[in-house]
Amino acid sequence: MGEADEAFVQAIEHRPKLSVAEDEGIPLIDLSPLSFSNDANTKNIDDLVVEIGNACKKWGFFQVINHGVPLEKRQKVEDAMRKFFAQPLEEKRKVRKDEKKAVGYYDNEHTKNVRDWKEVFDFVVEKRILMAASHEPEDKEVPETLNQWPDYPPELRESCEEYAREVEKLAYKLMELIALSLGLPASRFSSFFEDPTRFVRLNHYPPCPAPHLALGVGRHKDPSALTILAQDDVGGLEVKRKSDGEWVRIKPTPDAYIINVGDILQVWSNDVYESVEHRVMVKSEKERFSIPFFLSPPHYTMVRPLDELTSEQNPAKYRAYNLGKFLATRRQSNFKKLDVENIQISHFKVQELANELDGALSINKK
């Protein structure tokens, strides 16, 4: 990717600390109880639900093992993506995404208005999905998004599609466990995913000549409901610890997946669970690969706190927002640097609205 010019340079307060230690505290949860269905296993499932609930509250992140995703499916994708990213830039750009084509190859993405040190290939699990064309409320266009598959390597498409179907099964199992951890029926979230948006990204982080200045991905929160991440043994994912706000690195665990709560789940839970900031470090001599799977409801969903988790004593903390328009607004910053920070779920906080109204009233009184 060349030299780390100033487009990649983080503000001083957001630059990575190369000495950050890997944290052993991120919960590692064994999902093997899901493989058994006898009555004697009920307690194990109950314990599993408690573990996941605690992890979502304390960290917003956890790792899972014995998850049921065949290792060979993941290895096939990893092998194929290495071949794809090893190609010359002009070959990769034949399937380049842009503001009209929402999926494909891209190497100029920005997070928080700073360019990321990475290149990506995106695809949707469905052969096509509908996505809002723009963030403008009056724009009702919802065009189809179609995957762009490269000619090389020829096995990339099949390996990606097979892998995504396996991870999708894991995603729905986890959503059932998360529902139970919130005191809801296991199937509570099922209706949101009858027409889901399932999106997968292949990430490549090349060696960086200035890892003390740049980030593979800048600090951010995922706008999805749930994210399931496969990372290689190089590592580099850092999470902002809720207890003290310090950045801690997640130590890679062989054949594990890293799970994190997304913005949608934070809103659905009415802040019981929180979508936590995370970022990716880069290295000067090693490249890194990762594969996040993002699960979201369809574009027309109005995201709001669940009725069961609100009451007179605990009213809804967010006003409803249209997911498609929200994501269309977020996508703007992928392609160009904005003058302001991109939209966040915090902009829909009821208290934030109250403060804005108070401010407007005080101005009117002057």
Side-chain angles (χ1 to χ4, degrees):
M1 293 181 67
E3 296 298 316
D5 64 38
E6 70 175 43
F8 294 98
V9 176
Q10 295 284 328
I12 294 174
E13 64 271 23
H14 298 304
R15 289 177 188 172
K17 297 178 182 178
L18 301 184
S19 61
V20 171
E22 290 176 332
D23 194 280
E24 304 285 349
I26 301 291
L28 181 65
I29 299 176
D30 185 350
L31 297 183
S32 57
L34 297 179
S35 303
F36 305 97
S37 57
N38 52 58
D39 293 339
N41 194 45
T42 302
K43 183 180 184 303
N44 291 332
I45 296 291
D46 291 343
D47 291 344
L48 185 57
V49 168
V50 171
E51 274 192 272
I52 286 178
N54 289 339
C56 289
K57 282 182 181 176
K58 183 178 179 181
W59 286 95
F61 271 80
F62 55 96
Q63 298 189 75
V64 294
I65 56 173
N66 296 318
H67 39 68
V69 179
L71 179 58
E72 62 270 17
K73 301 289 187 185
R74 174 170 163 177
Q75 290 173 331
K76 284 181 180 179
V77 176
E78 291 172 343
D79 292 343
M81 66 188 284
R82 286 174 182 270
K83 292 179 183 178
F84 172 76
F85 286 121
Q87 294 182 102
L89 186 59
E90 60 268 23
E91 288 298 315
K92 292 179 283 191
R93 284 184 170 173
K94 288 179 180 178
V95 289
R96 192 173 190 266
K97 72 174 187 174
D98 54 33
E99 293 184 60
K100 296 293 184 183
K101 298 175 183 177
V103 292
Y105 173 79
Y106 201 59
D107 63 345
N108 192 27
E109 194 162 275
H110 291 67
T111 302
K112 305 287 187 185
N113 289 322
V114 180
R115 189 175 170 187
D116 296 327
W117 189 269
K118 69 179 180 188
E119 55 180 347
V120 306
F121 178 81
D122 298 332
F123 67 95
V124 292
V125 178
E126 307 82 352
K127 292 183 179 177
R128 60 185 184 180
I129 62 168
L130 299 176
M131 299 177 71
S134 81
H135 64 288
E136 298 294 342
E138 64 275 10
D139 187 352
K140 305 301 181 184
E141 184 184 3
V142 186
E144 287 186 337
T145 293
L146 302 174
N147 284 324
Q148 300 187 83
W149 294 105
D151 293 330
Y152 181 86
E155 69 270 21
L156 181 67
R157 177 175 183 169
E158 182 179 359
S159 63
C160 284
E161 290 176 343
E162 289 181 355
Y163 172 78
R165 284 193 289 270
E166 295 295 334
V167 178
E168 181 183 13
K169 296 175 189 176
L170 173 60
Y172 292 137
K173 290 178 186 176
L174 289 168
M175 289 305 298
E176 289 184 352
L177 293 168
I178 289 170
L180 291 170
S181 75
L182 289 166
L184 305 169
S187 61
R188 179 60 180 89
F189 295 117
S190 299
S191 62
F192 290 114
F193 301 113
E194 291 174 356
D195 183 22
T197 301
R198 297 158 295 176
F199 167 80
V200 182
R201 165 163 285 186
L202 310 181
N203 283 317
H204 175 223
Y205 303 94
C208 177
H212 60 296
L213 298 177
L215 287 166
V217 185
R219 71 198 192 283
H220 68 285
K221 299 180 179 183
D222 292 346
S224 56
L226 194 73
T227 303
I228 299 177
L229 175 73
Q231 69 167 345
D232 62 16
D233 59 358
V234 174
L237 176 65
E238 292 187 347
V239 175
K240 182 174 276 191
R241 189 163 50 202
K242 291 178 65 176
S243 60
D244 58 9
E246 288 295 314
W247 289 102
V248 295
R249 197 166 304 158
I250 298 183
K251 182 179 181 180
T253 301
D255 193 28
Y257 284 95
I258 298 169
I259 316 299
N260 67 278
V261 170
D263 287 347
I264 297 170
L265 187 52
Q266 177 171 334
V267 174
W268 280 342
S269 74
N270 205 29
D271 279 355
V272 175
Y273 298 155
E274 184 182 345
S275 177
V276 174
E277 273 196 326
H278 49 289
R279 66 186 188 182
V280 175
M281 294 271 293
V282 287
K283 297 182 182 294
S284 60
E285 297 177 356
K286 290 183 178 180
E287 61 183 343
R288 176 182 183 262
F289 296 88
S290 70
I291 314 171
F293 172 105
F294 303 97
L295 178 67
S296 298
H299 71 91
Y300 50 78
T301 302
M302 293 300 294
V303 181
R304 56 168 59 87
L306 300 179
D307 290 342
E308 303 95 310
L309 300 178
T310 62
S311 65
E312 190 174 338
Q313 294 73 35
N314 183 39
K317 295 180 171 64
Y318 297 88
R319 61 186 173 100
Y321 65 89
N322 179 276
L323 179 60
K325 294 299 184 184
F326 181 88
L327 295 177
T329 306
R330 288 283 288 259
R331 281 199 302 273
Q332 288 184 92
S333 69
N334 289 346
F335 301 101
K336 58 187 176 183
K337 187 172 181 178
L338 304 177
D339 294 328
V340 296
E341 183 182 0
N342 211 341
I343 193 168
Q344 307 291 332
I345 58 170
S346 60
H347 295 136
F348 297 91
K349 271 272 194 178
V350 171
Q351 188 57 47
E352 293 291 328
L353 288 174
N355 290 341
E356 289 175 14
L357 289 171
D358 288 344
L361 288 171
S362 63
I363 290 172
N364 290 335
K365 290 176 181 177
K366 291 180 180 178

